[in-house]
Each structure stands twice: as C-alpha cells, then as structure tokens.
Amino acid sequence: MENTLRVIFPIDRDYFRKNYLNPAIEQGFVALTIPDKPTSSKQQYYLTDKGKEFLKTFK
C-alpha cells in the first residue's frame, strides 16, 4: 500500500503529516482511532461527520 501511495502522491511521510493530516485533524475533518497514541503502528484515521459533510460539497 505504501508503495502505491508513493506513486500516486510522491511526498514523504513527515511532509504529508505536517501539511495535510495534522491540519485536517486540527480542523475536525479527520479523527484518530487511538487518540492517546498518535504514532502507534496500529493507528488508523477516519472521516468525522464534519469531514463527510465537507466532501459532499464536491459532489
């Protein structure tokens, strides 16, 4: 999966986290499944209701 993402979106992990993921989390569009351990290897992310509503504006 990671290799596929690098082909589609060729930036490093830190850049993605700083410029895309963290702002989406801070604005409430994305949430963590394990909020107490943001760097856990088992961490996953999901769209919040706010994020889902935002995506509807593009349809």
Side-chain angles (χ1 to χ4, degrees), residues 13-33:
R13 188 177 307 203
D14 292 331
Y15 181 88
F16 177 79
R17 182 174 284 133
K18 177 182 173 191
N19 293 289
Y20 295 96
L21 186 57
N22 287 342
I25 292 168
E26 290 167 4
Q27 293 177 20
F29 295 117
V30 175
L32 290 75
T33 57

Side-chain angles (χ1 to χ4, degrees), residues 29 47 50-59:
F29 295 117
L47 280 178
K50 182 178 179 180
K52 291 175 185 176
E53 288 298 317
F54 180 74
L55 283 180
K56 286 181 183 178
T57 64
F58 292 100
K59 291 184 178 182

Side-chain angles (χ1 to χ4, degrees), residues 17 32 34-41 43 45:
R17 182 174 284 133
L32 290 75
I34 312 170
D36 296 337
K37 297 181 180 179
T39 58
S40 170
S41 63
Q43 184 63 264
Y45 306 91

